[in-house]
Amino acid sequence: MRAIAVGCAALLLAGCSREERSAGTAELFRDVAAETGLQFQHQPYPSGKFYMPEIMGAGVALLDYDNDGDLDVYLIQGMALDGGGKGEGNRLFRNELVPSGTLRFTDVTAASRTGKVMYGMGAATGDFDGDGHVDLYITGFGKNVLYRNNGDGTFSDVTEKAGVQDERWSTSAAFLDYDRDGDLDLMVLNYIDFTLRGNKACFAASGEPDYCTPKAYRPVSAKLFRNEGSGRFTDATVASGIAKAYGPGLGITCSDVNGDGWIDVYVANDTAANLLWINQRNGTFAEQGLVSGAAYSEDGLPKAGMGVSAGDFDNDGDDDMVVVNLTREGATLFQNDGRGAFQDVSLRYGVRPLTFPYTGFGVDWFDYDNDGWLDLFIANGAVTLMEEWRGQPWPFQQANTLLRNEAGRRFRDVTAGAGAAMRLKEVTRGSAFGDIDNDGGIDIVITNNRGAARLLLNRTKGRNWLRVKLEGLAAGARVGVVLEGGQEIWRRAHTDSSYLSANDPRVHFGLGRQTRVRRIRVAWPDGGKEEFAGVNSNRQLLLKRGEGKPF
């Protein structure tokens, strides 16, 4: 194995110019998983009975579990559903970048006590007990797990003690402070009422056995757990109103979509109306997907919503939504008017035709080329038999998609020039986004159903950037930079979005040719607003609550 040496200072937290890279290739992304020690093979253990969970997982989480300043990787594994407990368990890989200066990973699963054997699906990250160490919630088909970070390199299973168990088929989850009381609550999506005993026989158009769609089963409600601040949660699903509407939930993103300072929740449902839970600022939510325009595409039909992400793609100061769907449906781009009303603009911006051939799962807004405009990566892989792969043992492969934002005017498919790893046809599911090598470019970790995990290292260079880390409770905070010309760019602090995955909590800004930002503004999750002095580009900045000036 050859490790990747990073050609800047060992502690890259202060940043370095991407011009210092010695990359001699035009590839935008390169897979370095194997050579850096991030070696993982997802195994759903297909039974031949076409159990639906076999084709749906799994996800990945990026988290700095040891607080050393770089992102570690947690990968979710399957197990044999037919019994016997066969499975390798989930795995945690520690990033050795800090302090070694070399990007390589060490499998610390056994030492960290995080290798539970389960039929895993997804992961959410957040410091639920406020001790300064990020914790980990794992969803699955069967029991979920809450791992409390002990701060010494180990985790403890506190699921029962904390009261966050859910034994249904859980998918994506997110930590959020929906009641603005200063601690992280937890929302968990559930898919359908599938059981092994109740497995139904479904068939492709050719008559061959195939995986069912969720329409063969009843959808179930998500769960909302309220953090009581003592290491315990209470089930607030009914009291909050979340139980009033449901669907086959797969993707979740949390954002203040109407600008009132309270976190709202958007849920992508598979073959059913998407849900937009508007925070009523009294501990309850009202479902307003239909009235807001975010429930259906512009043709008024529900689509097979899988992954979802919120981000300000047009740089007008509010978060827009993207939902990825089934082959021959295309992704849906919902543009926000700033007050929480959405319009399907998928055709206007070219998103639908570019994604029409694919079944999307993982997705996120990220500025891969640091030009100040949010681009899109979509992880693709079918769920029913692909004709071109007939006769193959896992006939669901598709290539992934990278869409470049052309300054808010339109999106352009740049997958062909993005690198060989981006063009591989695999059954990709989870995708997590973050600066793995701390060089100022957003990298991607993807998981493949019945395939290898891949680390797509961002090799673009030449433009400036700024990374902001917020101390303390930051999930849902909005961060804005004021550029020298007066333009403002707003992003949010989050780990949610995508599909079954958790992202880098640090807030990243591409600055183009700007070498300095004039001011930095933060709208904290509890409603407080602060402004901080400007800084030079190409560095990471730590912002602490109370050290800025109100604005």
Side-chain angles (χ1 to χ4, degrees):
M1 181 188 78
R2 181 176 63 85
I4 298 291
V6 179
C8 301
L11 286 174
L12 295 177
L13 299 182
C16 61
S17 170
R18 296 183 70 105
E19 301 287 3
E20 295 179 30
R21 271 185 156 175
S22 58
T25 176
E27 285 192 332
L28 301 180
F29 291 87
R30 185 166 70 90
D31 177 23
V32 299
E35 59 193 275
T36 58
L38 192 66
Q39 295 180 306
F40 178 88
Q41 187 84 11
H42 177 260
Q43 177 54 265
Y45 296 96
S47 61
K49 298 179 181 178
F50 294 90
Y51 294 137
M52 279 190 70
E54 296 171 350
I55 198 62
M56 298 300 290
V60 54
L62 301 181
L63 70 162
D64 184 6
Y65 85 94
D66 50 2
N67 281 345
D68 66 352
D70 56 34
L71 292 172
D72 311 297
V73 181
Y74 190 80
L75 288 155
I76 310 297
Q77 185 58 279
M79 66 177 292
L81 289 174
D82 268 346
K86 182 181 179 182
E88 297 179 2
N90 305 328
R91 292 171 70 182
L92 176 63
F93 291 86
R94 184 179 64 221
N95 190 344
E96 307 291 356
L97 178 65
V98 179
S100 72
T102 299
L103 180 61
R104 58 185 174 85
F105 292 90
T106 301
D107 189 334
V108 294
T109 308
S112 64
R113 304 201 296 262
T114 56
K116 187 175 182 65
V117 177
M118 60 185 292
Y119 204 92
M121 291 296 294
T125 59
D127 181 10
F128 81 88
D129 54 1
D131 65 353
H133 303 284
V134 63
D135 308 300
L136 189 59
Y137 188 78
I138 310 300
T139 65
F141 175 66
K143 293 184 177 181
N144 298 338
V145 181
L146 175 60
Y147 283 122
R148 179 186 180 273
N149 190 332
N150 298 319
D152 59 0
T154 69
F155 289 78
S156 296
D157 182 346
V158 296
T159 316
E160 299 295 338
K161 180 181 178 181
V164 291
Q165 185 54 272
D166 195 333
E167 298 187 8
R168 295 174 292 177
W169 181 0
S170 299
T171 54
S172 294
F175 285 100
L176 70 159
D177 185 12
Y178 78 93
D179 51 5
R180 295 205 333 190
D181 65 350
D183 51 35
L184 288 176
D185 313 297
L186 176 64
M187 187 161 174
V188 182
L189 301 189
N190 291 296
Y191 191 41
I192 52 176
D193 66 343
F194 176 86
T195 63
L196 298 183
R197 181 174 294 182
N199 184 46
K200 298 181 180 181
C202 294
F203 302 91
S206 63
E208 300 165 274
D210 204 352
Y211 288 98
C212 294
T213 75
K215 291 182 178 180
Y217 301 90
R218 289 188 304 109
V220 291
S221 169
K223 270 198 173 182
L224 179 64
F225 297 99
R226 183 181 184 275
N227 192 335
E228 300 298 340
S230 58
R232 286 196 57 81
F233 293 75
T234 57
D235 188 339
T237 308
V238 174
S240 66
I242 294 296
K244 292 181 180 179
Y246 51 86
L250 287 180
I252 184 171
T253 189
C254 306
S255 170
D256 176 16
V257 300
N258 57 5
D260 66 354
W262 293 73
I263 292 295
D264 311 300
V265 180
Y266 186 64
V267 175
N269 283 323
D270 190 357
T271 70
N274 299 321
L275 304 177
L276 179 59
W277 294 104
I278 297 297
N279 197 322
Q280 301 299 290
R281 299 178 286 181
N282 60 3
T284 69
F285 290 87
E287 202 290 296
Q288 297 183 5
L290 184 60
V291 298
S292 71
Y296 303 110
S297 60
E298 64 180 358
D299 55 11
L301 298 175
K303 292 186 176 181
M306 271 78 82
V308 62
S309 182
D312 186 9
F313 85 91
D314 50 5
N315 282 346
D316 65 352
D318 54 52
D319 279 344
D320 312 292
M321 303 287 184
V322 63
V323 184
V324 291
N325 305 299
L326 202 65
T327 299
R328 293 184 295 278
E329 290 184 340
T332 309
L333 175 58
F334 291 108
Q335 191 171 37
N336 191 345
D337 71 350
R339 299 181 298 275
F342 293 87
Q343 181 181 5
D344 180 352
V345 294
S346 313
L347 285 174
R348 181 190 309 171
Y349 287 92
V351 170
R352 184 176 300 169
L354 295 176
T355 56
F356 192 78
Y358 307 108
T359 294
F361 279 88
V363 62
D364 207 1
W365 298 106
F366 76 128
D367 186 1
Y368 80 86
D369 54 0
N370 283 338
D371 67 348
W373 297 89
L374 291 176
D375 311 298
L376 276 175
F377 171 83
I378 304 174
N380 298 316
V383 289
T384 56
L385 186 150
M386 296 284 293
E387 188 63 33
E388 65 180 295
W389 299 109
R390 180 180 297 279
Q392 299 296 315
W394 211 234
F396 312 107
Q397 299 96 319
Q398 294 181 334
N400 297 319
T401 307
L402 182 64
L403 302 182
R404 185 177 188 271
N405 187 341
E406 301 287 326
R409 298 185 300 270
R410 200 165 177 83
F411 287 86
R412 178 167 59 92
D413 189 341
V414 296
T415 312
M422 191 75 73
R423 298 189 300 271
L424 286 175
K425 291 188 176 181
E426 298 177 300
V427 189
T428 311
R429 294 291 183 253
S431 58
F433 299 76
D435 191 355
I436 303 289
D437 56 0
N438 279 347
D439 71 344
I442 300 298
D443 311 299
I444 313 170
V445 177
I446 63 173
T447 62
N448 288 303
N449 186 282
R450 205 178 181 185
R454 302 196 182 278
L455 168 51
L456 304 181
L457 204 66
N458 190 334
R459 294 163 61 82
T460 59
K461 57 184 179 179
R463 294 190 178 102
N464 298 314
W465 54 273
L466 180 69
R467 187 168 57 240
V468 176
K469 181 177 180 181
L470 302 178
E471 185 177 75
L473 181 66
R478 299 184 71 243
V479 183
V481 295
V482 183
L483 304 181
E484 289 296 339
Q487 178 191 5
E488 294 188 22
I489 299 176
W490 285 88
R491 304 289 181 249
R492 66 189 178 102
H494 71 103
T495 60
D496 59 49
S497 295
S498 192
Y499 172 75
L500 305 179
S501 300
N503 302 293
D504 188 346
R506 301 172 297 182
V507 185
H508 174 264
F509 294 90
L511 301 177
R513 301 302 177 188
Q514 297 269 347
T515 59
R516 182 175 175 80
V517 300
R518 184 185 296 174
R519 292 185 300 277
I520 303 170
R521 292 171 172 167
V522 180
W524 297 96
D526 65 358
K529 295 182 178 180
E530 289 184 286
E531 187 172 271
F532 298 81
V535 295
N536 292 330
S537 62
N538 300 330
R539 59 173 297 184
Q540 175 168 303
L541 183 66
L542 175 65
L543 297 183
K544 299 181 180 180
R545 181 69 190 270
E547 294 187 354
K549 296 180 180 179
F551 77 95

